Amino acid sequence: MFLSVRSLFSDLRNLSGTTLMNLLAALFMTQLLYVIGVGGVPDPELCIALAFSLQYIRLCVLCWMLVMAHHMYSQFRTNLHLVPITDNAIGKHFLRYSIFAWGLPALLLGASIIIQYREKGGKILDTSSLKEQNCWFLDENAFIYGLLIPSSLLTIITLFYLIQSALVSHYVISMQVDRKVREKMRRKRTLQIVLFTKITFLLIIVIILGALTKLIKSDPLWITYHVGQGLQGIFIAMLVTCNCQVLKLYTRSLKSRASSASSIGGSSRHPISYGNIVPGARSLLSKGTSISKSTSLQLLTWDPTPDPV
């Protein structure tokens, strides 16, 4: 839904919207890979590829969440008013964010591959232990050092930037003299901080459930993880959609189009009065009006031919 709305509204095509799009894309890939392993993966090569891919994309989700929190903190610290500041270096900033959010998980995945290779004694296609949990997780050491510890660090840094953003926002809001501007700024920035906090805690819950499922191997935890992993993408998409009020913007645009169409239709129902002019001139003016409102080539001919002057 957010993909279609972003294509319709140019106000959402900024650095914040682009980072959010990458987060949603990573979440979509997580859900897609999760669904692939639901019924079990008998092929060893596909099983190990699925486990590596899921570990990489999970780290990408957390990295993009950290990028969004950092960008929000930078915005709150530099923008002291409601008027957005034009970022002339948006391409450079997005390139840096992309290198971090897609590159750091790749480095961590390389370390996980090395740990998995050594743990298996060189037999990396031995996926008997991975198939017990539908090839969603690597073995214990690769899972802990390649996913669990980096995920904990990324979430801690994300929470740090969220807290710093709240403190900076409170300080900037208190500096505003106009009460209306102060209330509007408080409402907008609170919505953004609350949205990012909800998404972060939802990701943390799914990570904790996955870690407990991997390490403890309990059936109730396994079912709970299934539910959380299966619904996290939908919950986050709903949070983003409701917070950005994109449905309100979409309905507003539809209403404006309908009102403009009705105004055009209403004007066509009322004939245009030309006053007390001769019938020949009235017919010519009516012809010109019909020409301006039509794209037909037949109206470009004069019938009958006008008398020469």
Side-chain angles (χ1 to χ4, degrees), residues 48-115:
I48 193 66
L50 179 62
F52 283 141
S53 300
L54 269 172
Q55 182 140 322
Y56 169 75
I57 205 67
R58 285 169 180 152
L59 291 171
C60 289
V61 170
L62 296 174
C63 286
W64 278 113
M65 190 67 242
L66 174 57
V67 163
M68 291 171 56
H70 177 268
H71 179 62
M72 179 180 64
Y73 170 69
S74 301
Q75 277 189 325
F76 288 177
R77 189 180 57 180
T78 56
N79 190 5
L80 303 180
H81 305 283
L82 285 175
V83 180
I85 300 175
T86 304
D87 188 3
N88 297 324
I90 183 173
K92 184 184 297 183
H93 293 160
F94 178 69
L95 179 61
R96 293 176 181 175
Y97 283 153
S98 299
I99 292 174
F100 170 78
W102 297 114
L104 180 61
L107 296 177
L108 295 173
L109 178 63
S112 301
I113 294 174
I114 295 174
I115 295 173

Side-chain angles (χ1 to χ4, degrees), residues 34-302:
Y34 165 78
V35 171
I36 291 175
V38 167
V41 183
D43 184 52
E45 296 180 355
L46 181 59
C47 179
I48 193 66
L50 179 62
F52 283 141
S53 300
L54 269 172
Q55 182 140 322
Y56 169 75
I57 205 67
R58 285 169 180 152
L59 291 171
C60 289
V61 170
L62 296 174
C63 286
W64 278 113
M65 190 67 242
L66 174 57
V67 163
M68 291 171 56
H70 177 268
H71 179 62
M72 179 180 64
Y73 170 69
S74 301
Q75 277 189 325
F76 288 177
R77 189 180 57 180
T78 56
N79 190 5
L80 303 180
H81 305 283
L82 285 175
V83 180
I85 300 175
T86 304
D87 188 3
N88 297 324
I90 183 173
K92 184 184 297 183
H93 293 160
F94 178 69
L95 179 61
R96 293 176 181 175
Y97 283 153
S98 299
I99 292 174
F100 170 78
W102 297 114
L104 180 61
L107 296 177
L108 295 173
L109 178 63
S112 301
I113 294 174
I114 295 174
I115 295 173
Q116 182 78 7
Y117 182 81
R118 292 182 176 179
E119 190 172 358
K120 290 294 185 180
K123 299 179 180 180
I124 198 170
L125 294 180
D126 183 8
T127 58
S128 57
S129 60
L130 304 182
K131 292 179 180 179
E132 296 176 0
Q133 295 176 328
N134 297 338
C135 303
W136 286 335
F137 306 104
L138 295 174
D139 286 330
E140 186 170 337
N141 290 333
F143 174 78
I144 293 175
Y145 295 105
L147 178 63
L148 190 57
I149 294 178
S151 299
S152 302
L153 295 176
L154 290 172
T155 51
I156 290 173
I157 300 173
T158 302
L159 292 174
F160 169 77
Y161 278 118
L162 291 176
I163 295 172
Q164 289 295 317
S165 299
L167 295 176
V168 171
S169 177
H170 177 74
Y171 175 73
V172 173
I173 291 171
S174 63
M175 294 174 57
Q176 304 300 318
V177 179
D178 191 354
R179 184 178 61 85
K180 293 183 179 180
V181 174
R182 185 168 59 250
E183 293 299 325
K184 186 176 181 181
M185 180 179 291
R186 178 182 289 111
R187 183 171 60 255
K188 292 182 65 176
R189 297 196 172 182
T190 301
L191 281 174
Q192 189 173 359
I193 294 173
V194 170
L195 171 64
F196 287 4
T197 304
K198 288 179 181 179
I199 296 175
T200 303
F201 276 104
L202 185 58
L203 295 176
I204 290 173
I205 290 172
V206 175
I207 292 172
I208 292 175
L209 290 175
L212 294 177
T213 302
K214 173 64 181 178
L215 300 177
I216 298 178
K217 297 180 180 179
S218 172
D219 290 337
L221 289 174
W222 179 251
I223 296 174
T224 307
Y225 171 73
H226 268 284
V227 176
Q229 179 67 51
L231 296 179
Q232 72 166 351
I234 299 175
F235 284 157
I236 292 177
M238 291 177 61
L239 287 174
V240 172
T241 304
C242 297
N243 186 85
C244 296
Q245 298 180 349
V246 291
L247 295 179
K248 184 177 180 181
L249 292 173
Y250 185 70
T251 54
R252 186 184 303 171
S253 66
L254 290 180
K255 288 180 181 179
S256 62
R257 292 179 182 178
S259 61
S260 61
S262 62
S263 62
I264 294 174
S267 61
S268 63
R269 287 192 296 267
H270 299 284
I272 301 174
S273 177
Y274 296 104
N276 298 324
I277 60 177
V278 295
R282 184 182 294 111
S283 63
L284 291 179
L285 291 174
S286 301
K287 195 70 173 181
T289 304
S290 60
I291 290 174
S292 64
K293 292 183 179 180
S294 176
T295 57
S296 176
L297 293 178
Q298 295 178 356
L299 295 180
L300 297 179
T301 61
W302 292 98

